[in-house]
Short mmCIF file of all heavy atoms in Angstrom, two decimals:
data_model
loop_
_atom_site.label_atom_id
_atom_site.label_comp_id
_atom_site.label_asym_id
_atom_site.label_seq_id
_atom_site.Cartn_x
_atom_site.Cartn_y
_atom_site.Cartn_z
N MET A 92 4.26 73.45 -100.85
CA MET A 92 3.68 72.28 -100.18
C MET A 92 3.78 72.43 -98.73
O MET A 92 2.85 72.27 -97.99
CB MET A 92 4.42 71.05 -100.68
CG MET A 92 3.84 69.87 -100.08
SD MET A 92 2.26 69.44 -100.50
CE MET A 92 2.43 68.82 -102.16
N MET A 96 0.38 72.70 -96.53
CA MET A 96 0.20 71.50 -95.72
C MET A 96 0.28 71.93 -94.13
O MET A 96 -0.67 71.50 -93.47
CB MET A 96 1.29 70.38 -96.01
CG MET A 96 1.08 69.12 -95.40
SD MET A 96 -0.45 68.25 -96.05
CE MET A 96 -0.59 66.96 -94.88
N GLU A 132 11.48 68.12 -95.16
CA GLU A 132 11.05 67.58 -96.46
C GLU A 132 12.20 67.63 -97.40
O GLU A 132 12.45 66.62 -98.12
CB GLU A 132 9.80 68.20 -96.88
CG GLU A 132 9.41 68.02 -98.31
CD GLU A 132 8.19 67.14 -98.46
OE1 GLU A 132 7.45 67.13 -97.50
OE2 GLU A 132 8.04 66.57 -99.52
N SER A 162 3.55 60.50 -101.93
CA SER A 162 2.84 61.41 -101.08
C SER A 162 2.51 60.66 -99.72
O SER A 162 2.59 61.28 -98.57
CB SER A 162 1.64 62.01 -101.66
OG SER A 162 2.00 62.84 -102.82
N THR A 163 2.03 59.46 -99.84
CA THR A 163 1.60 58.76 -98.67
C THR A 163 2.81 58.38 -97.88
O THR A 163 2.72 58.62 -96.57
CB THR A 163 0.98 57.45 -99.13
OG1 THR A 163 -0.18 57.71 -99.89
CG2 THR A 163 0.57 56.48 -97.89
N ILE A 165 5.56 60.24 -97.53
CA ILE A 165 5.87 61.53 -96.99
C ILE A 165 5.04 61.77 -95.77
O ILE A 165 5.57 62.16 -94.77
CB ILE A 165 5.81 62.66 -98.01
CG1 ILE A 165 6.89 62.63 -99.00
CG2 ILE A 165 5.91 64.10 -97.31
CD1 ILE A 165 6.83 63.51 -100.21
N VAL A 166 3.74 61.60 -95.88
CA VAL A 166 2.80 61.76 -94.67
C VAL A 166 3.22 60.79 -93.57
O VAL A 166 3.35 61.17 -92.38
CB VAL A 166 1.36 61.52 -95.12
CG1 VAL A 166 0.50 61.51 -93.94
CG2 VAL A 166 0.94 62.70 -96.01
N MET A 199 -6.03 62.86 -90.69
CA MET A 199 -6.30 64.21 -91.33
C MET A 199 -5.18 64.52 -92.31
O MET A 199 -5.45 65.02 -93.48
CB MET A 199 -6.51 65.27 -90.24
CG MET A 199 -6.92 66.59 -90.82
SD MET A 199 -8.38 66.47 -91.79
CE MET A 199 -8.68 68.16 -92.17
N ALA A 200 -3.95 64.29 -91.86
CA ALA A 200 -2.71 64.60 -92.72
C ALA A 200 -2.84 63.83 -94.05
O ALA A 200 -2.64 64.34 -95.20
CB ALA A 200 -1.42 64.32 -92.03
N LEU A 201 -3.20 62.58 -93.98
CA LEU A 201 -3.33 61.71 -95.13
C LEU A 201 -4.37 62.21 -96.07
O LEU A 201 -4.23 62.36 -97.35
CB LEU A 201 -3.51 60.25 -94.75
CG LEU A 201 -3.30 59.22 -95.77
CD1 LEU A 201 -1.84 59.37 -96.34
CD2 LEU A 201 -3.50 57.85 -95.23
N ILE A 202 -5.58 62.54 -95.51
CA ILE A 202 -6.76 62.97 -96.30
C ILE A 202 -6.37 64.38 -96.94
O ILE A 202 -6.64 64.65 -98.11
CB ILE A 202 -7.98 63.09 -95.47
CG1 ILE A 202 -8.52 61.67 -95.19
CG2 ILE A 202 -9.07 63.83 -96.16
CD1 ILE A 202 -9.52 61.55 -94.08
N TRP A 203 -5.85 65.27 -96.14
CA TRP A 203 -5.51 66.57 -96.51
C TRP A 203 -4.53 66.56 -97.58
O TRP A 203 -4.56 67.31 -98.66
CB TRP A 203 -4.97 67.39 -95.32
CG TRP A 203 -4.45 68.80 -95.59
CD1 TRP A 203 -3.31 69.35 -95.34
CD2 TRP A 203 -5.23 69.90 -96.30
NE1 TRP A 203 -3.18 70.58 -95.58
CE2 TRP A 203 -4.39 71.06 -96.21
CE3 TRP A 203 -6.55 70.09 -96.69
CZ2 TRP A 203 -4.79 72.24 -96.75
CZ3 TRP A 203 -6.93 71.23 -97.16
CH2 TRP A 203 -6.10 72.25 -97.19
N GLN A 204 -3.37 65.69 -97.54
CA GLN A 204 -2.46 65.59 -98.55
C GLN A 204 -2.86 65.09 -99.86
O GLN A 204 -2.71 65.54 -100.88
CB GLN A 204 -1.25 64.74 -97.99
CG GLN A 204 -0.13 64.43 -99.00
CD GLN A 204 0.44 65.67 -99.67
OE1 GLN A 204 0.37 65.78 -100.94
NE2 GLN A 204 1.02 66.48 -98.88
N LEU A 205 -3.56 63.86 -99.78
CA LEU A 205 -4.04 63.15 -101.04
C LEU A 205 -5.12 63.79 -101.71
O LEU A 205 -5.21 63.87 -102.95
CB LEU A 205 -4.32 61.65 -100.71
CG LEU A 205 -3.11 60.86 -100.25
CD1 LEU A 205 -3.71 59.48 -99.89
CD2 LEU A 205 -2.08 60.73 -101.31
N LEU A 206 -6.09 64.34 -100.93
CA LEU A 206 -7.33 64.93 -101.67
C LEU A 206 -7.40 66.42 -101.84
O LEU A 206 -8.09 66.78 -102.79
CB LEU A 206 -8.63 64.45 -100.82
CG LEU A 206 -8.69 62.97 -100.62
CD1 LEU A 206 -10.03 62.68 -99.83
CD2 LEU A 206 -8.75 62.19 -101.93
N TYR A 207 -6.69 67.16 -101.14
CA TYR A 207 -6.72 68.54 -101.12
C TYR A 207 -5.40 69.30 -101.40
O TYR A 207 -5.15 69.91 -102.47
CB TYR A 207 -7.42 69.16 -99.93
CG TYR A 207 -8.85 68.70 -99.76
CD1 TYR A 207 -9.10 67.64 -98.92
CD2 TYR A 207 -9.94 69.21 -100.55
CE1 TYR A 207 -10.39 67.14 -98.74
CE2 TYR A 207 -11.14 68.67 -100.44
CZ TYR A 207 -11.38 67.63 -99.56
OH TYR A 207 -12.61 67.09 -99.34
N CYS A 208 -4.57 69.23 -100.47
CA CYS A 208 -3.21 69.93 -100.57
C CYS A 208 -2.40 69.57 -101.75
O CYS A 208 -1.95 70.30 -102.44
CB CYS A 208 -2.51 69.75 -99.24
SG CYS A 208 -0.93 70.61 -99.13
N GLY A 209 -2.19 68.31 -101.89
CA GLY A 209 -1.42 67.72 -103.02
C GLY A 209 -1.89 68.14 -104.38
O GLY A 209 -1.04 68.79 -105.05
N PRO A 210 -3.09 67.96 -104.64
CA PRO A 210 -3.68 68.45 -106.00
C PRO A 210 -3.52 69.96 -106.06
O PRO A 210 -3.24 70.48 -107.28
CB PRO A 210 -5.11 67.92 -106.00
CG PRO A 210 -5.08 66.77 -105.11
CD PRO A 210 -4.12 67.15 -104.03
N ARG A 213 0.09 70.97 -106.76
CA ARG A 213 0.56 70.52 -108.14
C ARG A 213 -0.06 71.48 -109.13
O ARG A 213 0.59 71.87 -110.08
CB ARG A 213 0.13 69.06 -108.40
CG ARG A 213 1.10 68.14 -107.72
CD ARG A 213 0.86 66.66 -108.08
NE ARG A 213 -0.41 66.09 -107.72
CZ ARG A 213 -0.53 65.67 -106.49
NH1 ARG A 213 0.33 65.56 -105.56
NH2 ARG A 213 -1.72 65.05 -106.17
#
Side-chain angles (χ1 to χ4, degrees):
M92 181 65 76
M96 188 70 192
E132 167 109 18
S162 294
T163 300
I165 288 172
V166 170
M199 184 59 173
L201 196 54
I202 291 167
W203 177 236
Q204 173 57 242
L205 292 176
L206 300 180
Y207 299 100
C208 181
R213 287 188 290 277

